[in-house]
């Protein structure tokens, strides 16, 4: 089955610790995105990557870092510098080449990881 | 920069009644517009989108939306609500490939369906 997987589904961390959230896709999509969701605020873009070994900051990148060493993987690290990390984190991907079942303008989302800082 | 406003963070409808969710946007260039649905503790699923062409767009689960440039709106409707429509709905705007297809989301509207 093609899709986007995020692990773990629930994650707990102690204040002051770094934590890495996984995002993997087997859709052969070029572009990948990380969003943060807080109640009543919709989703906000953290980082995005349009090709391997390249990524750009989104609207709320402070306290986060990413890497894009492989096309299928785009891990997000929440560092201790992120002042309010408790949130629901969503990963998305998008094809840059039109196909039978995908279009280049649409992002497809993973199931999300809920991070709680204790 | 683009922005999206969804009027009403919560909407309550009776089963069988019309569902109307409002979305207004601001954009300096013709935007791409999307509606996504989210069920509790899940990711987002695309309902429908407008990029070019026909302004009335039909999506999954009986939903449709109309792009009205003069009103900068993209309201979502469904003629008859079903219990399974209870979820949170997000309107989003993109400026397309020139801007990395980044999405800007509205704050979301949570729909409650009463039996």
């Amino acid at each position: 089955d093609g899709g986007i997987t995020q692990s773990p589904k629930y994650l707990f961390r102690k204040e002051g610790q770094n934590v890495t959230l996984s995002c993997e896709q087997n859709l052969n999509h070029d572009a990948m995105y990380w969003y943060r969701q807080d109640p009543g605020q919709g989703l906000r873009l953290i980082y995005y990557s349009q090709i391997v070994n390249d990524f750009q900051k989104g609207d709320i990148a402070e306290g986060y870092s990413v890497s894009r060493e492989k096309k299928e993987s785009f891990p997000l690290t929440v560092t201790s510098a992120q002042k309010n990390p408790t949130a629901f984190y969503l990963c998305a991907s998008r094809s840059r080449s039109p196909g039978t079942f995908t279009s280049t303008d649409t992002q497809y989302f993973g199931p999300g990881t809920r991070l709680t800082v204790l | 920069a683009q922005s999206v406003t969804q009027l009403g963070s919560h909407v309550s409808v009776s089963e069988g009644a019309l569902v109307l969710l409002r979305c207004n946007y601001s954009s300096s260039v013709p935007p791409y517009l999307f509606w996504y649905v989210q069920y509790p503790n899940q990711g987002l699923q695309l309902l429908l989108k407008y990029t070019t062409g026909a302004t009335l767009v039909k999506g999954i689960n009986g939903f449709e939306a109309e792009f009205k440039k003069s009103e900068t709106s993209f309201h979502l409707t469904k003629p008859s609500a079903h219990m399974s429509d209870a979820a949170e709905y997000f309107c989003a705007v993109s400026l397309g490939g020139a801007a990395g297809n980044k999405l800007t989301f509205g704050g979301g509207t949570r729909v409650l369906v009463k039996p």
Side-chain angles (χ1 to χ4, degrees), chain A residues 13 15-18 36 44 46 60-64 77-87 89 115 117:
Chain A
R13 88 155 211 222
E15 200 169 334
Q17 289 181 337
N18 293 355
R36 170 184 171 134
R44 292 178 291 168
I46 305 173
I60 56 164
E62 185 175 352
Y64 299 98
T77 297
V78 184
T79 75
S80 57
Q82 169 49 234
K83 296 178 181 176
N84 186 19
T86 294
Y89 290 87
L115 172 64
V117 175

Side-chain angles (χ1 to χ4, degrees), chain B:
Chain B
Q2 65 271 28
S3 66
V4 179
T5 301
Q6 290 184 239
L7 193 62
S9 59
H10 291 79
V11 167
S12 181
V13 299
S14 297
E15 192 173 19
L18 171 72
V19 179
L20 170 60
L21 305 182
R22 300 180 186 275
C23 172
N24 288 88
Y25 69 91
S26 67
S27 174
S28 56
V29 299
Y32 294 168
L33 295 159
F34 303 81
W35 275 101
Y36 284 88
V37 61
Q38 184 181 37
Y39 298 99
N41 290 312
Q42 295 187 24
L44 274 65
Q45 180 182 3
L46 180 71
L47 274 178
L48 49 78
K49 65 180 179 181
Y50 169 80
T51 54
T52 58
T55 56
L56 181 62
V57 181
K58 295 187 184 298
I60 62 171
N61 302 341
F63 284 93
E64 64 180 36
E66 186 171 11
F67 170 57
K68 293 188 176 180
K69 185 178 179 180
S70 61
E71 299 178 6
T72 60
S73 70
F74 191 56
H75 302 331
L76 181 71
T77 60
K78 181 174 181 177
S80 177
H82 190 272
M83 296 299 291
S84 61
D85 295 325
E88 190 158 20
Y89 294 79
F90 292 94
C91 182
V93 62
S94 162
L95 297 185
N101 285 94
K102 295 179 292 181
L103 289 171
T104 298
F105 286 86
T109 299
R110 190 172 298 277
V111 173
L112 172 66
V113 182
K114 299 177 292 185

Side-chain angles (χ1 to χ4, degrees), chain A residues 9 33 35 37 42-43 45 48 50 88 90 94 103-107 109-111 114, chain B residues 32 34 36 38 41-44 46 49 51 88 90 99-103 105-107:
Chain A
K9 187 170 180 62
Y33 305 77
Y35 293 89
Q37 183 178 16
L43 281 74
L45 181 65
Y48 67 105
Q50 299 207 71
F88 191 47
L90 288 155
R94 177 183 65 85
S103 58
T104 59
D105 51 45
T106 300
Q107 291 183 27
F109 284 80
R114 187 167 297 281
Chain B
Y32 294 168
F34 303 81
Y36 284 88
Q38 184 181 37
N41 290 312
Q42 295 187 24
L44 274 65
L46 180 71
K49 65 180 179 181
T51 54
E88 190 158 20
F90 292 94
N101 285 94
K102 295 179 292 181
L103 289 171
F105 286 86

